[in-house]
Amino acid sequence: MSIDEKKRLQRNDRVTIRTVATHAGVSVAAVSKVMRNAYGVSEALRTKVTEAIEALGYRPSRAARGLRGRSFTIGVLLIDIRNPFLPEVIAGVNGVLAPSHYQAMIGVSDARVQLETSLIESMIDYKMDGLILVAPRLPSEIIAKFAVEIPIVAVGYHDAGATAFDTVNADDQRGAEIAVEALLACGYRDIEMLSLGEREGHQVSVVRQREIGFRRAMQRSGLGSSAPITKIPIAPPKREETMRKFLSRKNRPRAVFCWSDLDAITLLSLAMEMGVRVPEDLAVVGYDNSSTAALGLVNLASIDQSGRELGQVATRTLISRIEGRTGAEHILQIPSLVSRNSLTRSSSASGA
C-alpha cells in the first residue's frame, strides 16, 4: 500500500469499492465483476482484486448493496431439518457461493403452509437476491406468485410445467425403479415399500414420485400394479409403532424399499431390537445415501441422489436466474444404487 493510501485511510477508516479499485489499479466495474463472480473474469484480474481486498480489509456494506438492488445474499429454506440428506445439499450450496461473494442465510420451517409462507416473505423483506427452497410443501401457484418478486429454485419439487421458477431434482421415479431392480436381481419378489402418510406429500413431492417409480417397476416385473405400500406417520410415537407392526406382521415381505434413509435406519434399529435379521429375514434399501447409512454398524444399501451436487446445480441455476435468465429450467439428475450389507442375495429369497 502506498504512503498516500495509508494517509487517506487514516483520515477515513471506511474502505470503499473505489479504494479497492485504486489499490488494484483497475476500474470500479472490474472490482464489481470479480465480487459477483461474473462470467469472463480473467484469473489475473481476479488475483489483483482479491489481493487488494485482503490488503485493505475491505468489507462490502450490505445496506449499500441492498439500495443498489443487490444484497449478495441468498436465502435457503429447509423443511424437516431431521433429514440427514440436508447437510449435503447445504454443503453444495456453500461450495458454489464461497468464491462468488454471495452468502447463504438459512431458514428452517416445518410442513405448515403458513410458517413456510411467512419465512419466504421475511427473506423477501430482507432484500435477498434469490431463494433456494428445499422440498417445499407449498402449492405451485403460491411459489409462482413469490417468484414474480424474487428468483426461486426449488429442490425436491417435481413441477416440470412451472414457468415462473426453476426446479432441480434427482429423478426420483427412476431412483425407486433402481431400488426395485436391485432387489429383484438379488432374487426377491415379495417386496413392499415404506412411504409417508397421505397428508405428508403431494404429487410433485419426492415421496409421491418414488411411489410412482416403485409401482411402475413392480408392474413391469409382473408383480402387479397395486404393489403394497405401507404408510408411516411422520410424528413419533406413531411412526415407530407403525414400523413395529410392520416388522411383527405374519405376512411381512422378504424385502422392503424405504422412501428415505431417515426411516430405513430407524427400521434397521427396530429390526435388531425385535430379532429380525437383516438381510437374512428382511432385505432393506433406503434412499439418499446419507453419511449414517455408510457407517459399519448400519451398512444400509441406499439410492444415492448426490445431495451435494443437487445443491451445487441449484445454486448455479439460481445465480444465472439472478443475472437475468428468464426461461424456466427443470433439471433432472440420474441417481444410482450404493449396495451394502442390507441387500444381499439370499438362497430363500426367490421363493419367499
Side-chain angles (χ1 to χ4, degrees):
M1 186 184 301
S2 69
I3 296 175
D4 289 341
E5 284 178 313
K6 287 182 179 179
K7 287 181 179 179
R8 184 165 61 253
L9 290 175
Q10 286 173 352
R11 292 193 301 269
N12 180 11
D13 291 334
R14 178 67 186 149
V15 179
T16 68
I17 191 171
R18 292 186 180 279
T19 316
V20 173
T22 300
H23 183 83
V26 299
S27 67
V28 171
V31 175
S32 178
K33 284 184 177 180
V34 172
M35 289 183 60
R36 56 189 171 87
N37 201 29
Y39 177 77
V41 173
S42 69
E43 197 56 40
L45 175 59
R46 189 184 306 280
T47 299
K48 276 186 179 181
V49 172
T50 301
E51 288 177 351
I53 288 172
E54 291 175 354
L56 298 172
Y58 175 55
R59 186 178 179 185
S61 167
R62 293 198 174 276
R65 284 174 166 182
L67 289 173
R68 292 196 302 270
R70 185 73 64 83
S71 68
F72 287 84
T73 305
I74 285 174
V76 181
L77 181 60
L78 309 176
I79 306 295
D80 192 5
I81 198 171
R82 301 172 306 144
N83 197 322
F85 166 70
L86 294 178
E88 285 296 302
V89 177
I90 295 170
V93 171
N94 286 333
V96 173
L97 294 184
S100 72
H101 296 281
Y102 281 94
Q103 287 189 347
M105 299 292 285
I106 297 174
V108 179
S109 180
D110 59 21
R112 288 185 294 164
V113 170
Q114 185 176 2
L115 178 57
E116 197 173 344
T117 300
S118 177
L119 282 170
I120 292 175
E121 289 172 343
S122 294
M123 289 177 171
I124 293 173
D125 290 342
Y126 276 104
K127 305 295 184 184
M128 294 187 182
D129 295 325
L131 300 180
I132 296 175
L133 310 180
V134 183
R137 302 293 179 91
L138 293 175
S140 183
E141 58 269 21
I142 294 180
I143 297 178
K145 287 181 180 178
F146 283 126
V148 174
E149 302 181 59
I150 188 170
I152 290 177
V153 174
V155 179
Y157 195 88
H158 290 266
D159 186 2
T163 57
F165 60 92
D166 305 311
T167 62
V168 174
N169 296 287
D171 189 336
D172 287 289
Q173 291 188 26
R174 181 60 192 141
E177 290 177 340
I178 291 171
V180 173
E181 289 165 3
L183 289 166
L184 290 169
C186 287
Y188 299 102
R189 295 185 66 79
D190 184 9
I191 306 169
E192 197 162 324
M193 179 179 179
L194 289 188
S195 187
L196 284 185
E198 296 293 350
R199 295 184 178 181
E200 305 304 334
H202 38 78
Q203 197 63 22
V204 297
S205 73
V206 298
V207 182
R208 300 299 166 237
Q209 291 293 304
R210 291 168 194 175
E211 288 180 0
I212 292 170
F214 171 75
R215 287 196 173 99
R216 185 163 59 219
M218 293 289 283
Q219 183 178 24
R220 190 166 57 227
S221 302
L223 298 177
S225 58
S226 58
I229 297 178
T230 295
K231 303 287 188 174
I232 304 173
I234 196 170
K238 289 185 177 180
R239 177 169 169 259
E240 289 77 10
E241 289 173 1
T242 302
M243 290 190 195
R244 287 182 185 276
K245 288 179 181 178
F246 170 82
L247 290 168
S248 61
R249 273 172 34 192
K250 290 183 179 180
N251 64 339
R252 184 188 66 226
R254 280 290 286 112
V256 61
F257 163 53
C258 289
W259 78 278
S260 169
D261 288 359
L262 185 67
D263 283 327
I265 291 169
T266 301
L267 185 71
L268 291 181
S269 177
L270 292 173
M272 180 180 293
E273 178 187 318
M274 296 172 65
V276 177
R277 299 170 302 166
V278 176
E280 292 84 356
D281 300 325
L282 180 68
V284 182
V285 177
Y287 205 111
D288 288 336
N289 192 34
S290 61
S291 57
T292 306
L295 294 176
L297 291 176
V298 179
N299 237 315
L300 172 68
S302 186
I303 300 298
D304 184 6
Q305 59 174 331
S306 186
R308 187 178 296 257
E309 188 174 348
L310 284 175
Q312 292 170 347
V313 173
T315 306
R316 294 191 189 103
T317 302
L318 181 62
I319 291 175
S320 73
R321 173 77 81 162
I322 292 170
E323 297 291 344
R325 175 177 54 80
T326 56
E329 291 188 356
H330 300 290
I331 301 170
L332 271 184
Q333 300 186 165
I334 303 299
S336 60
L337 172 73
V338 178
S339 185
R340 299 191 180 95
N341 287 356
S342 69
L343 169 68
T344 58
R345 181 178 294 277
S346 169
S347 58
S348 61
S350 58

